């Protein structure tokens, strides 16, 4: 997800997306551990999306 897409989400949607992407990240890591993924860069992409969502959520809580 891009930053513009993330900024348009509500706090509840951010929380839902964060949980969804955290689960996806854990699943990708487990799948990669068992058998190497065709595209291991997916893990990086999902990890960075989790970080973007968490950062935006923290910023909104602090305002």
């Amino acid at each position: 997800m891009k930053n513009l897409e993330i900024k348009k989400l509500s706090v509840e949607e951010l929380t839902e997306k964060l949980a969804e992407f955290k689960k996806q990240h854990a699943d990708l890591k487990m799948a990669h551990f068992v058998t190497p993924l065709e595209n291991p860069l997916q893990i990086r992409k999902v990890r960075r999306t989790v970080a973007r969502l968490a950062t935006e959520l923290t910023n909104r809580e602090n305002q």
Side-chain angles (χ1 to χ4, degrees):
M1 294 184 78
K2 300 287 182 185
N3 281 336
L4 288 175
E5 295 171 352
I6 292 172
K7 290 184 186 293
K8 292 178 184 176
L9 297 175
S10 69
V11 174
E12 291 124 11
E13 290 172 329
L14 278 173
T15 308
E16 290 173 10
K17 289 284 187 185
L18 184 60
E20 176 185 323
F21 277 102
K22 278 186 177 181
K23 181 176 179 350
Q24 184 180 357
H25 183 252
D27 292 343
L28 281 173
K29 280 178 59 176
M30 182 60 73
H32 186 63
F33 181 73
V34 174
T35 57
L37 296 173
E38 283 184 33
N39 186 5
L41 294 179
Q42 287 176 315
I43 298 171
R44 182 192 313 169
K45 191 174 181 183
V46 173
R47 184 181 70 232
R48 289 182 178 174
T49 301
V50 168
R52 284 187 192 103
L53 288 167
T55 300
E56 182 63 26
L57 196 57
T58 303
N59 286 342
R60 290 189 188 184
E61 289 174 355
N62 289 337
Q63 287 181 354

